[in-house]
Amino acid sequence: MHAVKTEPALTPAVTDPASADARTAPGAAAPALDAAQLAEAFALFSRASEELSSAYNALQEQVGQLTERLAVLMGALPAGVLVLDRAGRIVQANRAAGELFGRDLSGLGEGEALRCLEETETPGEYLLRLPQAEAGAEPRRVARTESELESGDERIVLLHDITDTFRMRLTAERNERLAAMGEMVAGLAHQLRTPLAAALLYTGNLRQSELDPLQRIQVADRALERLRYLERLIRDMLLFARGDSTGRHRFEVCELVTELTHTLEPLARARQVSFESGCACLQASVLGDRKALGGALTNLLENGIQACPQGGQLAFAAVEIDAAESGIGCAAVRFTVRDSGGGVPPELQERLFEPFFTTRAEGTGLGLAIARGVARAHGGDITLRSAPGQGAEFALTVPLASAAASNGDEPT
């Protein structure tokens, strides 16, 4: 048999250039996934979705718990809490706030809800006068603080009812004053008896017929001098024991400085003391009892004049200071009285403010105690800086009216 010779099969040539370019072009589409790969990708997606759902559910549960806790906390707080939005409307108020104002505050504007608050002599403290309160009912006293959220979208106003605390504070201050008076009653009796005996003696001498008119006038003047001293002593005792102020209103600081300068400058001139005064407060004002504050500063100025030797100097000034420097937590005005006298020994500096303690024979020992009481009644204080031989500087600090009224309207 003859062998059959066969030729190898030829691969057909590619005649479509587009197909060839598609296979060889860089970045060509990856080949389609098979069924197993699709199933695996879907399983991974399902597991990720389940994990996200679990995390979201856990987060929702935590938010629910926090919301519940916040609601319980808001309801349990004894203080009133108001949450205000950017427009000043109350978006949330707790139960204590509603009880404090006797109404539902949600949805009200800040001014509409808080118009019942009347500022007091103490910054941050207000009298709550409700229109629906019974006639003659004593207003509640509340402390107001305010904080803004970091986002700036809302503010939180916190209202504390401090009526009972305020009453206890007044009672404690009154008891402290009465205790001080009780401790010094023996010395006070001596102070009263001595000028009274002198006045009686001088008055008795007026009955002597042999006195000429000039001597009679001299004896009468001495008797009147002793009686005026008694009157001043009794007046200071009443001021110290009462410890309150008759009324409060807004007045400018520079006007008070000018008034005191006109009053005390002739007295300083009569004692040959150089008197300088100045006010750097521009239009700044104080909310308080002008008469009481003026009396406290008059005591400081009179003490300074008496401490100065002939030819000495007395400086009286008033300046505005910020909250960081004031020491009373708010912007304030500081009155300073600086003399060129002999100074006050360190061991006597704190005792100068004790009732009935005095280093002068004609002093009642109540002037500085009253001055400190007036300063503290206005929400401020009084301090002393002195060194022997270098004079003394008294600084009386009280809040500015703008600081006292920063969170509310002025009383009418």
Side-chain angles (χ1 to χ4, degrees):
M1 293 181 62
H2 297 284
V4 179
K5 184 178 180 182
T6 59
E7 297 293 336
L10 298 175
T11 302
V14 178
T15 59
D16 187 355
S19 298
D21 292 342
R23 288 195 301 271
T24 60
L33 298 175
D34 57 19
Q37 291 174 322
L38 287 173
E40 183 181 358
F42 183 76
L44 290 173
F45 176 76
S46 298
R47 285 197 299 270
S49 297
E50 290 177 0
E51 291 175 357
L52 287 175
S53 298
S54 298
Y56 178 74
N57 292 334
L59 182 60
Q60 277 191 321
E61 184 179 353
Q62 291 180 2
V63 171
Q65 291 177 352
L66 290 175
T67 302
E68 182 181 2
R69 292 173 184 173
L70 179 60
V72 173
L73 179 61
M74 290 276 285
L77 279 175
V81 180
L82 304 177
V83 182
L84 292 81
D85 59 15
R86 284 181 178 271
R89 299 195 67 80
I90 299 176
V91 298
Q92 188 177 4
N94 68 341
R95 174 183 53 82
E99 293 178 352
L100 191 61
F101 286 85
R103 60 185 297 193
D104 183 13
L105 301 176
S106 299
L108 297 179
E110 180 181 11
E112 183 181 1
L114 304 182
R115 66 177 55 175
C116 302
L117 295 180
E118 175 184 314
E119 68 176 332
T120 66
E121 70 283 357
T122 305
E125 295 186 7
Y126 298 81
L127 292 179
L128 177 60
R129 300 186 185 274
L130 299 177
Q132 68 270 25
E134 298 180 0
E138 182 181 359
R140 307 296 294 176
R141 193 178 183 97
V142 299
R144 174 182 174 179
T145 55
E146 184 174 322
S147 301
E148 185 173 348
L149 300 183
E150 292 185 359
S151 63
D153 294 332
E154 293 180 337
R155 291 181 293 125
I156 297 179
V157 177
L158 194 62
L159 300 171
H160 290 272
D161 188 345
I162 59 171
T163 305
D164 295 335
T165 304
F166 179 71
R167 290 172 181 167
M168 293 174 60
R169 188 173 69 195
L170 290 181
T171 302
E173 291 176 354
R174 181 174 180 273
N175 290 339
E176 182 180 353
R177 290 192 297 270
L178 291 177
M181 292 188 68
E183 292 175 0
M184 299 303 297
V185 66
L188 178 61
H190 173 73
Q191 290 184 359
L192 288 172
R193 185 173 61 246
T194 301
L196 180 59
L200 291 173
L201 178 62
Y202 290 135
T203 305
N205 289 334
L206 292 175
R207 301 181 60 183
Q208 298 180 12
S209 58
E210 62 271 17
L211 291 178
D212 58 45
L214 180 59
Q215 290 176 326
R216 194 176 299 274
I217 292 175
Q218 291 176 346
V219 171
D221 288 342
R222 292 176 181 175
L224 287 173
E225 180 185 352
R226 295 295 85 194
L227 291 174
R228 290 193 185 101
Y229 174 83
L230 282 172
E231 181 186 20
R232 186 171 70 254
L233 179 60
I234 294 173
R235 180 199 63 198
D236 289 348
M237 286 173 52
L238 292 176
L239 284 174
F240 178 74
R242 195 168 60 237
D244 57 0
S245 299
T246 57
R248 297 184 180 274
H249 59 278
R250 183 187 290 263
F251 58 90
E252 291 191 1
V253 174
C254 290
E255 289 184 358
L256 179 61
V257 172
T258 301
E259 177 184 326
L260 294 176
T261 299
H262 291 164
T263 302
L264 275 300
E265 190 174 23
L267 178 61
R269 191 185 312 115
R271 293 182 61 90
Q272 300 181 17
V273 172
S274 174
F275 186 88
E276 297 179 358
S277 67
C279 182
C281 296
L282 300 179
Q283 301 299 319
S285 57
V286 170
L287 185 67
D289 187 337
R290 176 170 179 160
K291 183 177 180 180
L293 193 57
L297 291 171
T298 298
N299 278 333
L300 297 181
L301 291 167
E302 288 180 344
N303 287 345
I305 292 173
Q306 293 172 359
C308 287
Q310 288 188 358
Q313 296 180 344
L314 182 70
F316 177 41
V319 295
E320 292 184 64
I321 53 177
D322 56 24
E325 186 183 354
S326 68
I328 58 176
C330 63
V333 56
R334 175 168 293 165
F335 299 93
T336 57
V337 178
R338 186 175 67 253
D339 64 66
S340 61
V344 182
E347 64 273 12
L348 297 182
Q349 290 185 15
E350 187 59 31
R351 293 203 62 193
L352 285 181
F353 296 98
E354 294 180 3
F356 306 109
F357 178 81
T358 180
T359 57
R360 303 200 320 265
E362 295 298 319
T364 64
L366 290 174
L368 291 177
I370 293 173
R372 171 175 278 185
V374 169
R376 291 179 174 177
H378 283 75
D381 205 349
I382 184 172
T383 58
L384 166 64
R385 292 193 308 172
S386 180
Q390 300 181 14
E393 179 181 278
F394 288 88
L396 190 152
T397 306
V398 292
L400 286 170
S402 57
S406 58
N407 291 325
D409 299 329
E410 282 191 52
T412 56

